[in-house]
């Protein structure tokens, strides 16, 4: 969930469109065991190497990625070689499955497809990952050049008639399958139909062309947002222009202005550079006393990628049109209907039921909150009606007034090393696992990246994860996310490895990374995603971890973990002053808990606005600007009319560059689940540590363990003993 006071910096973008297409490959691609580099064997595919017999490092699928050796020049020849092997292997599988004498069974279909898919899923996953965290022009061009071939072979796999028919015949003998296998098979059949397996002739050709175009447009959309974000730089030289800014922000802005010449950073004398990445724009809008500068920066943010060489205006209409055409070819009335077919909500009507229910409860609260903010601002020197660029500034002043603290007061208590120690201790207490820096021989894509191992109570290895914590606006996309590096597979004897990527404030001078409370929440959020990926016990790659989990249930573990930051025992472990080691003062933390409900109605209404916009964009045929204006008016507060300059959809990467199209409501849907799940701990008493530990093990054995092998409704019932209720969420935000 996004709770930033500034314009949205979203999290998490789990998959790009192309990654999603690859993972639809029947029964999903597997992953690789993380053998140390020193123990690696030769890669299976030897194509794509350089002269002299040098093996392309992108093709080494025997262990963890060789990030320090992989460069843009390896992408096209390496992925081409993998694709050639996949095409050959698919022909052999199709011949076997088409043989009437070939006995069909789960292993006869699943095993060869899993072995076939892993080099493509592994190598292309690396390319997509690097494109998000180490983006440069050479890598971008290589990605764009080979992407159509990846989409084509993915489509070829998904549309394989011999495989599809074999799965259908297997489905007729479900008595031979266990529960997860039945669910995987049902999902695979639906995915195949949605990938065009039942289409023929001109319809199939049109469908495949649309799939190619959408993949290309999605990448272009993301690149435009990244480039537009990087392009904005506002240099300030007058000390009066940074009046009111916290020291941590001035240090960051001075470092931005100094560029590579870090030896001449002077946070007191400047110059200072404002950028549009989260660690800069968020505190700038909260603390800058210069209203004209706030307006300039705010407008730059909400108009990103809406003009010039990075204009996404036309791309939005192209993607909406193509998604609608794709949906009609498959027999659906809208893309929203197609998207929801594979989600918990199932139909647009159920999504609107959730949205309208929460909207009715939050609108009146939001109107009251804004009226109170206007009165506070007017009483403290503001003239006229508040504008959008005033909200974060005056909300921060009002919060300081009401609760006697601000983000900067808390920041010294949250150095990244201490936060990680507290998070890992909480994970051990709740779930019985241990997390330590890894001794494995690994390579990373940036010197700030760390690598950790997870073991059970007996010291048995379970999983690992990369952590890339800091903002790098020049090469790393914004927001935060978890993604799969390696997945669980009993067949291939693999263990999970995750990417955890954040964009928090980097270390400055002699200080470690001092995190805002929101940045700590973000880390807990992404770690929750990671735990579901890494603590899975499902033996099949197609349903292990987050694989095959309905999109609107994926956010349950992530939002569940955020709740622990409001527990007294947890905060005492997570928050310790970076200088003297003191804990967060009790009275300050009580204020933090009270402030959780501050402007909760406004924040909820804002998220519902985005969810409604997403649904309407994928249901209606009107131009996106007309749809946006209608939604803006529908959700506008009485004294805060929408801005005509607002072009927020041009940077809405969740729905145009990620996997949340007609699915952004998932954050609220899953928040209901997460709040209800956490209430099980509250009902036992958060001070009752024995009971809490017991419930934590049950959470691990259900929500974190069962992955996509069991429907999330059944998973929730196994944990909670009943269906989810919205009461806990409404109580959490004081809306009962």
């Amino acid at each position: 969930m996004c709770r930033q006071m500034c314009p949205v910096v979203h999290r998490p973008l789990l998959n790009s469109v192309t990654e999603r297409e690859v993972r639809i490959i029947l029964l999903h691609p597997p992953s690789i065991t993380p053998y140390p580099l020193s123990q690696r064997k030769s890669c299976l595919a030897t194509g794509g190497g350089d002269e002299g017999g040098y093996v392309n490092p992108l093709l080494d699928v025997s262990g963890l990625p060789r990030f320090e050796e992989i460069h843009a020049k390896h992408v096209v020849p390496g992925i081409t070689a993998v694709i050639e092997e996949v095409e050959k292997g698919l022909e052999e599988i199709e011949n076997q499955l088409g043989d009437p004498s070939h006995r069909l069974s789960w292993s006869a279909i699943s095993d060869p497809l899993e072995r076939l898919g892993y080099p493509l899923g592994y190598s292309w996953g690396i390319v997509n990952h690097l494109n998000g965290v180490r983006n440069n022009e050479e890598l971008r061009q290589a990605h764009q050049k080979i992407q159509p071939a990846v989409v084509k072979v993915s489509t070829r796999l998904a549309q394989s008639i011999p495989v599809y028919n074999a799965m259908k015949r297997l489905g007729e003998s479900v008595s031979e399958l266990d529960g997860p296998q039945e669910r995987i098979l049902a999902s695979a059949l639906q995915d195949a139909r949605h990938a065009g397996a039942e289409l023929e002739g001109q319809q199939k050709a049109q469908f495949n062309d649309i799939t190619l175009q959408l993949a290309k447009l999605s990448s272009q959309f993301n690149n435009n947002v990244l480039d537009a974000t990087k392009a904005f730089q506002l240099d300030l030289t007058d000390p009066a222009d940074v009046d009111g800014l916290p020291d941590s922000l001035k240090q960051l802005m001075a470092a931005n202005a100094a560029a590579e010449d870090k030896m001449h950073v002077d946070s007191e004398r400047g110059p200072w550079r404002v950028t549009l990445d989260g660690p800069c724009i968020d505190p700038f809008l909260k603390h800058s006393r210069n209203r004209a500068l706030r307006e300039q920066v705010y407008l730059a943010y909400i108009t990103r990628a809406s003009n010039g060489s990075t204009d996404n205006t036309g791309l939005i209409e192209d993607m909406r049109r193509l998604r609608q055409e794709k949906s009609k070819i498959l027999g659906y009335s809208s893309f929203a209907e197609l998207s929801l077919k594979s989600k918990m909500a199932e139909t647009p009507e159920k999504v609107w039921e959730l949205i309208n229910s929460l909207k009715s409860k939050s609108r009146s609260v939001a109107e009251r909150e804004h009226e109170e903010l206007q009165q506070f601002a007017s009483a403290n020197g503001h003239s006229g009606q508040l504008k959008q660029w005033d909200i974060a500034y005056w909300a921060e002043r009002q919060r300081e007034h009401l609760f006697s603290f601000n983000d900067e007061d808390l920041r010294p208590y949250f150095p990244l090393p201490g936060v990680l120690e507290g998070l890992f201790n909480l994970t051990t207490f709740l779930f019985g696992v241990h997390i330590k820096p890894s001794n494995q021989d690994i390579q990373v894509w940036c010197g700030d990246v760390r690598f950790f191992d997870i073991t059970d109570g007996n010291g048995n290895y379970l999983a690992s994860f990369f952590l890339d914590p800091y903002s790098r606006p020049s090469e790393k996309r914004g927001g935060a996310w978890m993604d799969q590096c390696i997945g669980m597979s009993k067949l291939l004897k693999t263990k999970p490895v995750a990417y955890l990527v954040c964009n928090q404030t980097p270390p400055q001078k002699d200080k470690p990374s001092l995190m805002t409370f929101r940045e700590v929440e973000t880390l807990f959020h992404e770690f929750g995603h990671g735990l579901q990926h890494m603590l899975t016990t499902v033996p099949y790659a197609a349903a292990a971890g987050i694989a095959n989990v309905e999109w609107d249930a994926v956010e349950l573990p992530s939002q569940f973990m955020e709740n622990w930051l409001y527990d007294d025992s947890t905060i005492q472990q997570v928050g310790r002053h970076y200088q003297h080691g003191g804990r967060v003062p009790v009275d300050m933390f009580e204020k933090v808990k009270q402030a959780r409900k501050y402007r909760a109605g406004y924040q909820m209404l804002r998220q519902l606005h985005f969810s409604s916009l997403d649904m309407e964009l994928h249901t209606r045929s009107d131009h996106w600007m007309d749809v946006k204006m209608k939604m803006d008016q529908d959700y506008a507060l009485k004294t805060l009319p929408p801005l005509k300059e607002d072009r927020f959809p041009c940077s809405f990467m969740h729905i145009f560059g990620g996997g949340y199209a007609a699915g952004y409501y998932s954050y609220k849907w899953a928040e209901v689940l997460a709040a209800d799940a956490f209430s099980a701990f509250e009902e036992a008493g958060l001070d009752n540590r024995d009971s809490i530990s017991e419930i934590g093990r049950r959470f691990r054995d259900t929500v974190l363990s069962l992955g996509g092998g069991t429907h999330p409704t059944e998973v929730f019932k196994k944990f909670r003993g009943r269906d989810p209720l919205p009461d806990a969420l409404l109580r959490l935000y004081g809306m009962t």
Side-chain angles (χ1 to χ4, degrees):
M1 175 182 175
C2 305
R3 295 183 181 170
Q4 285 83 346
M5 298 298 291
C6 68
V8 185
V9 181
H10 291 291
R11 68 185 189 218
L13 288 170
L14 297 181
N15 302 332
S16 73
V17 171
T18 302
E19 289 172 308
R20 174 69 175 163
E21 293 296 334
V22 170
R23 287 174 187 169
I24 283 176
I25 294 174
L26 309 175
L27 308 179
H28 294 69
S31 307
I32 320 305
T33 304
Y35 300 120
L37 296 177
S38 59
Q39 299 178 17
R40 292 185 172 194
K41 301 176 182 179
S42 300
C43 64
L44 298 179
T46 57
D50 298 332
E51 293 183 4
Y54 175 72
V55 175
N56 188 327
L58 193 58
L59 299 179
D60 184 354
V61 297
S62 64
L64 289 165
R66 291 159 55 182
F67 287 115
E68 295 166 17
E69 303 172 49
I70 296 171
H71 302 288
K73 66 179 181 179
H74 298 121
V75 172
V76 173
I79 298 301
T80 299
V82 174
I83 289 173
E84 290 173 354
E85 293 297 319
V86 170
E87 290 172 337
K88 293 177 183 177
L90 180 59
E91 289 184 10
E92 295 177 2
I93 292 172
E94 288 178 328
N95 289 335
Q96 290 179 343
L97 296 178
D99 185 349
S101 63
H102 188 73
R103 182 181 179 278
L104 290 181
S105 65
W106 172 263
S107 59
I109 299 177
S110 174
D111 292 0
L113 286 172
E114 191 166 332
R115 292 190 180 96
L116 176 70
Y118 89 79
L120 180 59
Y122 179 83
S123 299
W124 186 239
I126 294 172
V127 175
N128 275 295
H129 174 68
L130 291 176
N131 209 35
V133 298
R134 206 178 70 191
N135 190 282
N136 58 66
E137 187 60 30
E138 293 78 12
L139 180 60
R140 184 181 297 184
Q141 289 181 2
H143 182 277
Q144 292 174 345
K145 184 175 182 179
I146 197 61
Q147 184 186 49
V150 175
V151 175
K152 285 180 180 178
V153 74
S154 301
T155 302
R156 166 82 172 84
L157 279 160
Q159 294 178 348
S160 170
I161 297 302
V163 173
Y164 182 57
N165 288 336
M167 287 197 302
K168 287 198 295 185
R169 294 199 305 274
L170 181 63
E172 296 169 358
S173 58
V174 292
S175 59
E176 299 180 6
L177 306 179
D178 62 29
Q181 289 173 342
E182 287 185 23
R183 186 166 145 79
I184 291 168
L185 184 60
S187 297
L189 286 168
Q190 179 173 266
D191 287 345
R193 287 191 292 269
H194 287 173
E198 294 183 341
L199 301 177
E200 297 179 350
Q202 180 59 34
Q203 269 198 330
K204 176 172 282 192
Q206 181 186 1
F207 182 91
N208 292 348
D209 182 61
I210 289 173
T211 302
L212 275 172
Q213 290 185 63
L214 283 172
K216 178 181 178 181
L217 292 173
S218 177
S219 292
Q220 186 178 347
F221 187 96
N222 285 338
N223 288 337
N224 284 345
V225 176
L226 178 60
D227 289 345
T229 302
K230 290 193 297 184
F232 179 85
Q233 296 178 348
L234 176 61
D235 288 334
L236 306 176
T237 56
D238 187 347
D241 289 337
V242 296
D243 188 30
L245 299 184
D247 291 341
S248 60
L249 178 58
K250 289 194 291 184
Q251 182 67 35
L252 176 63
M253 290 167 57
N256 290 341
E260 299 302 320
D261 189 11
K262 301 298 183 185
M263 297 300 293
H264 294 84
V265 174
D266 191 333
S267 63
E268 295 302 320
R269 300 175 60 185
W272 306 270
R273 174 172 294 171
V274 185
T275 63
L276 298 182
D277 59 301
C280 186
I281 187 175
D282 185 15
F284 184 85
L285 291 176
K286 285 182 177 180
H287 297 287
S288 174
R289 295 173 181 168
N290 189 319
R291 193 185 188 208
L293 288 179
R294 293 202 310 268
E295 178 181 2
Q296 182 179 355
V297 172
Y298 183 91
L299 291 177
Y301 192 91
I302 64 170
T303 56
R304 285 182 304 160
S306 65
N307 56 74
S309 61
T310 61
D311 192 354
N312 278 335
T313 303
L315 268 63
I316 292 176
E317 281 302 278
D318 290 342
M319 295 182 75
R320 291 179 67 218
R321 173 180 54 80
L322 291 170
R323 286 170 176 173
Q324 180 65 14
E325 291 177 8
K326 179 177 182 178
S327 303
K328 286 193 172 183
I329 291 174
L330 293 173
Y332 295 95
S333 63
S334 68
F335 183 78
E337 187 178 328
L338 168 61
S339 172
L340 289 163
K341 189 70 175 179
S342 59
K343 295 179 171 64
M344 283 185 73
E346 296 183 337
T347 66
E349 290 75 20
K350 289 185 179 179
V351 174
W352 284 115
E353 183 180 335
L354 171 74
I355 290 174
N356 291 330
S357 173
L358 295 177
K359 180 183 177 185
S360 67
K361 293 178 173 63
S362 59
R363 174 174 281 285
S364 60
V365 178
E367 291 283 9
R368 185 185 71 244
E369 290 169 345
H370 186 70
E371 182 180 345
E372 292 171 351
L373 183 65
Q374 178 70 61
Q375 293 173 354
F376 174 83
S378 298
N380 286 275
H382 180 78
S383 177
Q385 293 292 324
L386 292 172
K387 297 293 187 180
Q388 280 77 355
W389 47 85
D390 299 318
I391 301 301
Y393 177 80
W394 284 108
E396 189 68 9
R397 305 290 79 74
Q398 186 185 42
R399 193 168 72 128
E400 291 170 353
H401 172 74
L402 292 173
F403 306 109
S404 304
F405 80 94
N406 61 34
D407 284 343
E408 296 306 308
D409 295 330
L410 286 170
R411 195 189 285 268
Y413 291 95
F414 296 118
L416 177 60
V419 170
L420 288 176
E421 181 181 357
L423 172 59
F424 296 166
N425 288 339
L426 173 67
T427 304
T428 298
F429 170 68
L430 290 176
F431 310 127
V433 298
H434 300 274
I435 305 171
K436 298 291 184 184
S438 178
N439 292 321
Q440 296 187 56
D441 184 15
I442 64 157
Q443 295 186 14
V444 295
W445 56 92
C446 173
D448 293 327
V449 175
R450 301 180 64 185
F451 190 71
F452 297 89
D453 290 337
I454 301 181
T455 58
D456 65 16
N458 297 319
N460 299 310
Y461 174 76
L462 297 176
S464 298
F465 63 94
F466 292 94
L467 175 63
D468 184 353
Y470 308 132
S471 171
R472 296 190 301 276
S474 65
E475 64 175 10
K476 186 179 181 183
R477 78 173 187 237
W481 63 94
M482 189 287 296
D483 206 351
Q484 171 179 306
C485 174
I486 291 174
M488 165 76 83
S489 172
K490 181 179 179 181
L491 175 69
L492 300 172
K493 298 180 175 60
T494 66
K495 299 289 186 179
V497 177
Y499 300 120
L500 300 183
V501 184
C502 298
N503 267 283
Q504 69 193 50
T505 308
Q508 299 294 335
K509 283 190 174 180
D510 57 343
K511 296 180 181 178
S513 174
L514 299 178
M515 305 169 68
T516 66
F517 193 76
R518 293 295 181 261
E519 288 174 341
V520 178
E521 278 188 321
T522 297
L523 178 61
F524 270 59
H525 179 108
E526 301 309 332
F527 193 72
H529 283 306
L531 287 173
Q532 186 173 34
H533 173 63
M534 294 183 288
L535 299 187
T536 184
T537 57
V538 178
Y540 314 115
I546 63 170
N548 204 44
V549 176
E550 278 73 0
W551 204 255
D552 38 10
V554 163
E555 297 293 335
L556 193 172
S558 55
Q559 298 190 88
F560 166 82
M561 287 299 295
E562 291 184 38
N563 288 305
W564 286 103
L565 281 172
Y566 296 90
D567 167 51
D568 293 303
S569 297
T570 301
I571 206 68
Q572 293 304 314
Q573 292 193 61
V574 172
R576 296 198 178 192
H577 200 283
Y578 80 103
Q579 290 176 314
H580 53 67
R583 302 177 190 273
V584 178
V586 173
D587 58 342
M588 181 183 289
F589 186 57
E590 286 302 313
K591 296 291 187 180
V592 170
K593 290 190 287 186
Q594 294 172 23
R596 189 180 194 186
K597 298 178 182 178
Y598 172 67
R599 292 177 61 77
Y602 176 86
Q603 293 298 336
M604 181 176 288
L605 191 67
R606 184 167 169 270
Q607 288 298 100
L608 296 174
H609 181 184
F610 298 147
S611 300
S612 299
L613 174 63
D614 172 37
M615 288 296 293
E616 290 285 73
L617 285 171
H618 292 103
T619 304
R620 296 164 58 100
S621 59
D622 308 43
H623 190 276
W624 71 262
M625 276 297 295
D626 294 330
V627 176
K628 178 187 177 299
M629 285 190 289
K630 180 181 182 300
M631 289 294 98
D632 286 353
Q633 291 294 340
D634 192 29
Y635 279 86
L637 300 178
K638 294 176 182 177
T639 58
L640 188 66
L643 295 171
K644 65 180 186 302
E645 302 95 333
D646 191 346
R647 297 294 185 273
F648 164 67
C650 290
S651 59
F652 201 171
M653 290 195 294
H654 268 65
I655 68 172
F656 293 116
Y660 282 84
Y664 192 80
Y665 77 92
S666 299
Y667 282 102
K668 278 300 168 199
W669 187 281
E671 194 176 11
V672 171
L673 303 177
D676 198 357
F678 188 74
S679 69
F681 294 83
E682 293 177 311
E683 290 166 7
L686 294 179
D687 292 332
N688 187 345
R689 306 311 276 180
D690 290 339
S691 294
I692 294 302
S693 178
E694 180 182 343
I695 299 171
R697 297 302 194 276
R698 189 167 78 242
F699 188 86
R700 174 187 170 182
D701 293 340
T702 52
V703 176
L704 300 181
S705 172
L706 298 179
T710 306
H711 193 278
T713 300
E714 295 304 313
V715 172
F716 190 89
K717 286 181 179 179
K718 286 177 182 291
F719 170 68
R720 201 69 173 92
R722 57 166 174 76
D723 289 324
L725 298 172
D727 305 43
L729 178 64
L730 296 174
R731 186 170 61 251
L732 185 69
Y733 292 118
M735 296 183 190
T736 52

